Amino acid sequence: VRPHRVILVLLLFVAASCGDDAATTASPTTTAAPTTAAPTTTTVDPTTTQAAAVPSSTASPPTSDLVPSAGDEYIALGSSIASGFGISVQATPCGRSDRNYPTLVAAKFGLELTDVSCGASRIPNVVDTAQGDFPPQIEALSPLTKLITVTVGGNDIGLNGKALACSDPQTICDEPDDLEANIAALRPQLTAMVGTLRASAPDAAIVLVTYPREFPEDNCPELSLDDEELEMLRSMAEELEAAFMDVAANTGVLLVD
């Protein structure tokens, strides 16, 4: 088994529900007040953290043999699926859990983790746009970075906010008016993001981690969705996943699905 494929298998989806990706001004990793906090850097001891069950994964062929080693710098980027919104223990206003997949990956490989993933993030918040009082997530990268994981894009097409709205039994939901345009923009935005990440951390392995499949094929009362709403949300999620797969294939980055 090639080492980079082991890394991919151990990128874990432990998020339950992403909500609307939390508050729109949520902040990157911090335990202090939002106006003064900085991203938390943690060196995780792989002998002290228990790993969770691992789902199946699909990886695009890597373009290099760069494999992080114990002590290497690992930067986690993205929105609430990366931050672990709703999973205990929540440590920051970003909806970040101490059991999110970046923490588990860092624990497994003994990496030095800086986690700037944050609920409500969009692609611009990763690349060039501050989120609230905090700078773009990409500023956490350095030439020493050896591993980057990123899960982002659901908020760019309005998936998570729409899912929350539709789950209200008193609400009948329609497809977002700008959905077609947002989906058309998604692949170019993700592709440009990958290029910018590479320029900022040329020696890093970049891993796109897709969103979990939140919407089942068969409806159930617990979802509080009618069949049309469920189909709309499933279709949006499938568009998002397809964009991740296309961008990974076209840019040569790694993919965990």
Side-chain angles (χ1 to χ4, degrees):
V1 179
R2 300 182 69 181
H4 44 266
R5 293 194 181 277
V6 175
I7 291 172
L8 295 180
V9 171
L10 285 158
L11 286 164
L12 307 176
F13 282 118
V14 294
S17 113
C18 55
D20 64 348
D21 263 7
T24 57
T25 59
S27 308
T29 304
T30 172
T31 55
T35 56
T36 59
T40 297
T41 299
T42 306
T43 302
V44 187
D45 181 353
T47 65
T48 60
T49 301
Q50 181 178 3
V54 182
S56 61
S57 64
T58 302
S60 60
T63 56
S64 75
D65 290 327
L66 296 176
V67 178
S69 301
D72 278 351
E73 182 176 284
Y74 165 29
I75 309 298
L77 312 173
S79 59
S80 62
I81 295 301
S83 70
F85 179 81
I87 304 171
S88 62
V89 174
Q90 294 284 299
T92 77
C94 272
R96 178 147 327 102
S97 169
D98 63 0
R99 295 180 62 247
N100 61 10
Y101 78 72
T103 302
L104 297 178
V105 170
K108 176 63 181 179
F109 293 100
L111 304 177
E112 184 176 328
L113 170 64
T114 299
D115 187 350
V116 290
S117 61
C118 195
S121 293
R122 300 174 183 242
I123 295 169
N125 299 127
V126 172
V127 177
D128 59 16
T129 302
Q131 186 175 1
D133 294 329
F134 290 84
Q137 295 178 20
I138 197 171
E139 294 189 11
L141 302 184
S142 80
L144 299 178
T145 304
K146 298 300 183 183
L147 176 64
I148 301 166
T149 58
V150 57
T151 303
V152 72
N155 294 310
D156 298 83
I157 65 171
L159 173 60
N160 296 322
K162 182 58 68 173
L164 265 188
C166 291
S167 64
D168 181 350
Q170 305 303 315
T171 302
I172 301 298
C173 291
D174 296 317
E175 183 179 285
D177 293 337
D178 54 358
L179 178 61
E180 185 174 344
N182 287 337
I183 287 175
L186 189 60
R187 285 170 176 80
Q189 287 179 317
L190 288 171
T191 300
M193 178 191 73
V194 168
T196 305
L197 296 178
R198 277 184 168 145
S200 297
D203 292 334
I206 300 173
V207 183
L208 292 181
V209 184
T210 64
Y211 284 67
R213 296 179 179 92
E214 300 176 76
F215 309 105
E217 293 185 6
D218 299 323
N219 208 344
C220 61
E222 289 79 7
L223 292 174
S224 299
L225 301 170
D226 64 33
D227 290 345
E228 291 75 18
E229 291 170 341
L230 177 60
E231 178 57 31
M232 175 191 66
L233 293 171
R234 285 187 64 243
S235 176
M236 292 175 69
E238 288 168 0
E239 290 279 4
L240 180 61
E241 182 176 28
F244 267 66
M245 295 176 71
D246 288 347
V247 169
N250 292 334
T251 62
V253 300
L254 304 174
L255 175 71
V256 169
D257 181 15

